[in-house]
């Protein structure tokens, strides 16, 4: 490969950095997978993700809502019911999740095959 | 979507979690892009990635080497020259980088279009 100038390099990095700014970290994609799979209540989502804490989940849900990847709906019931659903925009992340999933499966095979 | 049991949910999450364990964080993919673009020396890589610190870069390069995504070669020169190259295995991450890049471009359009 020929050596890129810094400008070229940064322009290639920029969209990846933009994406990582929104979804990086250990939890956000797992939360989106959990909600996509039908978990909509806080405790359901929490139970479906091994080792996540309530505090972290609350923070991540807030971030995801701010970035319009999930919607938080309050149902005026007694007691009040809060449900999380993924937005149509979150579905545009499917190719990213699929690529990571494919790579993760392959990586596990590689590690186990040693 | 029908509600998945926790077992189903975790099996869908597992490969994504495996992948995120290796490449999550802000820097690893940017470092791989930088090295792929032709930067091979520590200072070159450092200069090509805005805001990364030497300490963080050193740690991330070590992790990437341990996971066989980059190779560190010491050339017995005076002074000693150390070069980093990406491994064939790192090239299997290309679909992940491409999916993130596509999503990042789309996200930037969405944000700017508001």
């Amino acid at each position: 490969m020929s050596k890129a100038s810094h400008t070229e390099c940064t322009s290639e990095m920029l969209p990846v950095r933009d994406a990582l700014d929104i979804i990086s970290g250990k939890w956000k994609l797992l939360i989106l997978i959990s909600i996509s799979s039908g978990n909509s209540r806080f405790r359901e989502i929490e139970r479906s993700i091994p080792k996540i804490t309530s505090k972290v989940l609350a923070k991540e849900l807030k971030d995801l809502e701010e970035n319009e990847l999930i919607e938080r709906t309050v149902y005026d019931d007694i007691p009040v019911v809060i449900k999380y659903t993924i937005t149509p925009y979150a579905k545009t992340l499917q190719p990213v999740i699929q690529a990571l999933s494919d790579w993760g499966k392959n990586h596990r095979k590689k590690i186990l095959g040693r």
Side-chain angles (χ1 to χ4, degrees), chain A residues 10 13-14 17 20 22 25 29 37 39-40 43 49 76 84 87 90 94 99 105 107 110:
Chain A
T10 300
M13 282 179 199
L14 179 71
R17 208 185 49 191
L20 291 174
I22 307 294
L29 292 178
S37 303
N39 296 308
S40 59
R43 296 291 167 211
I49 302 174
D76 185 14
Y84 296 92
T87 62
Q94 191 51 41
K105 278 178 199 156
H107 184 70
K110 182 175 179 281

Side-chain angles (χ1 to χ4, degrees), chain A residues 35-78:
Chain A
I35 299 175
S36 300
S37 303
N39 296 308
S40 59
R41 307 284 298 268
F42 189 94
R43 296 291 167 211
E44 287 173 345
I45 301 165
E46 188 180 16
R47 274 195 298 267
S48 73
I49 302 174
K51 296 185 187 167
I52 199 165
T53 63
S54 301
K55 195 178 161 190
V56 167
L57 178 56
K59 163 86 172 65
E60 297 286 52
L61 286 169
K62 204 155 168 279
D63 285 354
L64 288 168
E65 196 190 352
E66 272 168 17
N67 285 305
E68 300 177 16
L69 294 169
I70 62 170
E71 200 170 357
R72 179 178 180 276
T73 311
V74 182
Y75 294 90
D76 185 14
D77 218 332
I78 298 170

Side-chain angles (χ1 to χ4, degrees), chain A residues 23 29 94-106:
Chain A
I23 56 151
L29 292 178
Q94 191 51 41
V96 171
I97 293 173
Q98 190 61 51
L100 282 166
S101 175
D102 291 345
W103 194 83
K105 278 178 199 156
N106 185 52

